[in-house]
Amino acid sequence: MVNQKKARWRKLDNAAKLYSAASNKKDTRVFRFYCELKEEVKPTILQKALDQTMETFPMFLMVLRKGLFWHYLEPCNLHPIVKKEYKEPCSRLYIKDKKNLLFEVTYYKKRINFEVFHVLTDGTGATEFLKELVTNYLYLVHKEEGLEQVSMLPEDMTVQDQEDDSFLKYYSKEQRRPKEKKIHAFQIRKKKKDGHHLHVHESIVLVQDVLKRSRELGVSMTVFLTAVYLMAIHEEMSKMQEKRPVVLMVPVNLRKFFPSTSMLNFFNWIEPGYDFAKQDNSFEAILEYTKEFFKEQLTKEKMSAHISELLALELHPILRLAPLELKNLCIHAGAKFSEKNVTAIFSNMSVVKMPESYVPYIERFGVYTNTPKLELCLCSFQDKLSFAFTSRYDTENIERNFYRLLKEQGISSEEVKPVFPKPHVLSEQEMKVYKIYSFLCIALVAVMLVTDWNFHPQVRWTLFTAGGVTTMWIASSIGFFKRYNLLKNVMWQLFIGTIVCFIWDVLTGWHSWSVDLVLPIMSVATLAAMFVIAKVQKSPVREYLIYEIMAAGYGLILPMILLLCKKVKNPTVSMFGALICFLFLVGVILFKGKEFKEEMHKNLHV
């Protein structure tokens, strides 16, 4: 059992900062680790096992929140609930503004699924979590048969050990890699399947067959499979396409080079590439090249230099002070550009080891991930090596080539047809309704404008109606896209609402009502609404305090500026509104000073 100490808010590690910025609806940065049992899963017992597992991994009970300069993770009171599998594998877990856990445990028939957003952990952390979950589950089911309870983690491990940022721990300013100019790699360009759904193709081979052939060739299993993967991709290339090299991204677990018990992201990658236009195309030549590449790149010095290169960019004093939204745009653009340097991805999660007494109840483990490219993931359990290709391309030729090449090397594979339930697509239906609503609003405004243009009535009610419809659409659109966070929704309504009223005031001859009445009344009403929402939702102080501070600041500073600039004709309401906001801020500092300081630290950390 992990030494219990409550997890606290924490900054994101280097890799998590990339994933939080680059993830989107299609590229979710979610991966699945699963365990196929030899018996049907019992959901009520799985829930009990999950509850026990969370006591060992409290650092997983986090939600992702936005600060001014970086995202950060914060503990929450959400309780993970086991569900029957109900959506496409590796679907989005982090939804902007929605207070969600960054992992999910589901089941389907004999399969226990653990899906996790890469911001929270990497393959090693996911493996440890799933192993603990499966052992807890099997113990609860079979303890009457004499199965003994086993803890998969060291007895003296603490939450601090789990939350250790090993990237920072092993960062050194002195070590840097020499700059290398990267050539754009060959890109698989096949028509994507309808709906851009993720397609999973799984097979199983015997570990001993792969190890035997790898040893005969004098290479490791990973080197051998990398060479086969390169060759399988090459077989789908035309002569024109051979002008680009085939480059694989191969993640590397840094715990093999640097001592670490961290459950956060702590991995690097290498990019073995082969230029088939200039190099020998025989399997022997590809294998020898790959072997030398791995030998040269997989050193502690190279890994350390890469860590330092990545951290140096993150810790650059100017970049650290850039606003989060600007960082996100730059990181997203950089990630899209970097995709051109890689053809496909090969991730070896290595061996999954379980206590000997638990092995008879387990069929196998498997892993795969959501990806914008073609990705091969593998892991082994006992003598079963599970392969999983994932892609959104309308082709299976590379997978076919891969298994045929293995067969030519004396390794047979058995295809596994993964069975998934029909997913619920509520979010797609919601978006469809919103699009229909938007179309109707646009159509109505267009009709009003054409009517006004052609008939030119004395009272131009059509223009006012069009403006009213536009205002309604703006307000409802904010409500739709910010529906997951009511407090942020109210804040946006205040900000956009006062601007729209200001524009209406200007267009109707400027009578000052927008700043005399609307601004102070909306500011005070927003504070009151936030207070009610927080009480109804029973939100902790840390969740609503920052929004109330923003609303009070807006309701104090803007009216004061307008008063000083003499833009307010009737100052009474503005002054009383500003007074209420001022007193609210004073009350926060006096009575919630500790929480206020902590929120400012979290939101302003660089």
Side-chain angles (χ1 to χ4, degrees):
M1 179 68 68
V2 171
N3 185 357
Q4 287 296 307
K5 181 183 176 183
K6 190 176 179 180
R8 61 181 187 86
W9 82 273
R10 66 173 184 268
K11 302 176 183 179
L12 300 188
D13 59 70
N14 181 264
K17 287 174 178 173
L18 169 65
Y19 290 129
S20 63
S23 67
N24 54 54
K25 187 176 180 180
K26 293 178 182 177
D27 185 10
T28 63
R29 306 297 169 120
V30 171
F31 64 98
R32 169 182 289 194
F33 220 112
Y34 70 88
C35 177
E36 188 86 21
L37 301 176
K38 293 182 179 179
E39 57 196 28
E40 293 278 335
V41 175
K42 299 176 181 179
T44 53
I45 297 180
L46 182 58
Q47 181 64 60
K48 292 178 182 178
L50 178 58
D51 295 341
Q52 289 183 12
T53 305
M54 296 321 304
E55 294 176 9
T56 306
F57 293 93
M59 50 82 65
F60 275 40
L61 292 172
M62 294 280 180
V63 293
L64 187 64
R65 297 190 66 186
K66 287 176 63 176
L68 182 61
F69 301 105
W70 293 110
H71 286 96
Y72 60 93
L73 290 166
E74 186 170 70
C76 67
N77 54 8
L78 295 176
H79 182 66
I81 303 297
V82 168
K83 299 176 184 176
K84 186 175 181 180
E85 191 171 348
Y86 63 99
K87 59 182 179 180
E88 179 181 284
C90 304
S91 296
R92 192 165 49 155
L93 288 174
Y94 170 61
I95 299 173
K96 190 176 180 181
D97 295 329
K98 192 172 184 178
K99 186 181 176 183
N100 263 4
L101 289 173
L102 304 179
F103 72 93
E104 188 171 58
V105 174
T106 60
Y107 68 95
Y108 191 65
K109 296 184 177 179
K110 299 179 181 181
R111 187 173 67 234
I112 297 174
N113 308 309
F114 174 59
E115 292 192 347
V116 61
F117 186 28
H118 228 316
V119 163
L120 194 60
T121 189
D122 60 8
T124 300
T127 304
E128 294 302 325
F129 185 97
L130 182 61
K131 285 165 60 179
E132 188 78 17
L133 175 63
V134 171
T135 53
N136 287 338
Y137 172 78
L138 290 175
Y139 170 73
L140 290 173
V141 173
H142 298 286
K143 61 183 178 180
E144 300 299 330
E145 302 167 20
L147 190 64
E148 294 184 0
Q149 190 166 22
V150 178
S151 177
M152 302 301 294
L153 295 177
E155 289 288 335
D156 60 349
M157 178 178 281
T158 64
V159 173
Q160 185 179 346
D161 294 330
Q162 294 182 4
E163 293 182 334
D164 183 36
D165 187 342
S166 295
F167 281 114
L168 280 174
K169 183 176 180 179
Y170 292 106
Y171 167 64
S172 172
K173 291 183 178 180
E174 285 70 38
Q175 288 185 295
R176 299 283 179 86
R177 292 193 309 177
K179 290 289 183 181
E180 297 178 4
K181 185 179 180 181
K182 292 188 176 182
I183 301 173
H184 286 177
F186 162 67
Q187 301 296 311
I188 303 168
R189 300 193 184 280
K190 301 289 182 182
K191 184 180 178 181
K192 295 189 176 183
K193 293 181 181 286
D194 293 340
H196 304 286
H197 294 301
L198 183 72
H199 291 264
V200 183
H201 305 274
E202 293 189 272
S203 292
I204 297 172
V205 304
L206 295 179
V207 173
Q208 290 305 316
D209 289 351
V210 182
L211 281 176
K212 179 183 176 183
R213 185 54 182 153
S214 300
R215 287 165 182 166
E216 289 173 354
L217 295 169
V219 297
S220 68
M221 182 191 291
T222 304
V223 168
F224 169 65
L225 294 173
T226 300
V228 173
Y229 198 5
L230 288 168
M231 201 165 184
I233 295 172
H234 173 244
E235 290 189 4
E236 294 304 306
M237 297 172 68
S238 66
K239 286 293 181 183
M240 285 290 292
Q241 290 171 330
E242 284 185 353
K243 65 181 182 180
R244 299 284 188 193
V246 177
V247 181
L248 298 180
M249 174 183 282
V250 181
V252 178
N253 184 2
L254 290 174
R255 296 167 184 84
K256 295 179 179 179
F257 298 90
F258 307 96
S260 173
T261 56
S262 175
M263 294 295 163
L264 309 188
N265 289 290
F266 191 45
F267 69 95
N268 206 335
W269 67 89
I270 58 174
E271 295 178 355
Y274 201 81
D275 193 333
F276 287 92
K278 298 177 182 178
Q279 295 172 273
D280 187 346
N281 291 355
S282 68
F283 179 71
E284 291 74 20
I286 298 170
L287 187 68
E288 185 61 30
Y289 170 84
T290 306
K291 177 183 176 181
E292 291 303 315
F293 184 91
F294 272 65
K295 184 178 178 181
E296 178 188 339
Q297 295 295 321
L298 292 180
T299 65
K300 188 173 182 178
E301 291 72 24
K302 293 271 187 180
M303 295 297 107
S304 180
H306 197 190
I307 290 175
S308 298
E309 179 185 348
L310 294 171
L311 267 292
L313 187 63
E314 175 191 331
L315 298 174
H316 191 284
I318 295 178
L319 295 178
R320 288 170 69 184
L321 292 171
L324 177 62
E325 294 302 330
L326 179 60
K327 282 194 186 89
N328 285 348
L329 288 173
C330 294
I331 292 172
H332 188 73
K336 294 297 290 184
F337 181 80
S338 297
E339 286 181 7
K340 297 177 181 179
N341 301 326
V342 174
T343 306
I345 305 168
F346 174 37
S347 184
N348 184 354
M349 296 289 189
S350 195
V351 183
V352 180
K353 294 181 179 179
M354 294 291 285
E356 196 63 37
S357 56
Y358 285 73
V359 170
Y361 303 102
I362 301 170
E363 186 67 35
R364 65 188 179 92
F365 284 84
V367 61
Y368 47 83
T369 182
N370 191 302
T371 176
K373 292 184 171 290
L374 175 68
E375 182 159 353
L376 170 60
C377 294
L378 65 89
C379 70
S380 66
F381 174 71
Q382 296 295 98
D383 198 33
K384 290 184 178 180
L385 185 60
S386 298
F387 290 89
F389 280 96
T390 51
S391 79
R392 298 181 187 274
Y393 298 121
D394 192 14
T395 177
E396 297 176 16
N397 287 6
I398 292 173
E399 295 98 302
R400 175 204 63 192
N401 299 342
F402 181 85
Y403 293 119
R404 194 199 72 249
L405 289 168
L406 283 183
K407 191 172 183 179
E408 291 173 1
Q409 296 291 326
I411 302 168
S412 299
S413 61
E414 176 190 349
E415 185 178 359
V416 177
K417 290 286 187 182
V419 181
F420 306 115
K422 186 177 180 180
H424 302 304
V425 286
L426 183 61
S427 60
E428 292 181 13
Q429 294 172 353
E430 290 174 347
M431 182 56 71
K432 186 176 181 180
V433 170
Y434 172 74
K435 288 179 179 179
I436 293 172
Y437 167 73
S438 297
F439 174 79
L440 293 175
C441 288
I442 292 169
L444 184 57
V445 169
V447 168
M448 293 295 175
L449 293 176
V450 170
T451 301
D452 183 81
W453 180 270
N454 282 279
F455 296 103
H456 300 288
Q458 292 294 322
V459 180
R460 312 193 77 170
W461 62 268
T462 52
L463 286 181
F464 283 101
T465 305
V469 172
T470 302
T471 302
M472 179 184 69
W473 177 81
I474 291 172
S476 55
S477 293
I478 294 170
F480 176 77
F481 287 107
K482 300 296 179 184
R483 65 191 183 279
Y484 297 122
N485 188 333
L486 290 180
L487 293 169
K488 184 178 284 190
N489 192 337
V490 172
M491 186 63 215
W492 272 99
Q493 296 287 359
L494 168 64
F495 180 65
I496 299 297
T498 51
I499 290 177
V500 169
C501 288
F502 181 82
I503 294 171
W504 270 102
D505 203 355
V506 170
L507 294 178
T508 54
W510 186 251
H511 300 287
S512 188
W513 55 268
S514 60
V515 294
D516 289 357
L517 300 172
V518 174
L519 176 58
I521 291 173
M522 279 193 69
S523 297
V524 175
T526 298
L527 279 177
M530 286 182 174
F531 178 79
V532 173
I533 290 170
K535 290 298 181 183
V536 171
Q537 293 184 335
K538 298 180 180 179
S539 304
V541 174
R542 63 173 179 268
E543 289 186 13
Y544 64 80
L545 190 61
I546 187 66
Y547 297 113
E548 290 196 332
I549 291 170
M550 290 168 63
Y554 185 79
L556 170 64
I557 296 171
L558 190 55
M560 291 304 298
I561 292 173
L562 292 170
L563 283 167
L564 291 173
C565 294
K566 298 182 179 179
K567 296 295 182 182
V568 179
K569 293 182 179 179
N570 300 303
T572 304
V573 178
S574 284
M575 293 181 70
F576 274 100
L579 175 63
I580 292 171
C581 291
F582 171 74
L583 292 175
F584 176 85
L585 290 173
V586 171
V588 166
I589 294 171
L590 290 177
F591 301 107
K592 297 291 181 181
K594 182 180 178 181
E595 291 88 346
F596 173 78
K597 185 177 180 181
E598 184 181 4
E599 280 301 303
M600 292 299 101
H601 179 48
K602 286 188 289 188
N603 281 274
L604 300 177
H605 82 273
V606 294

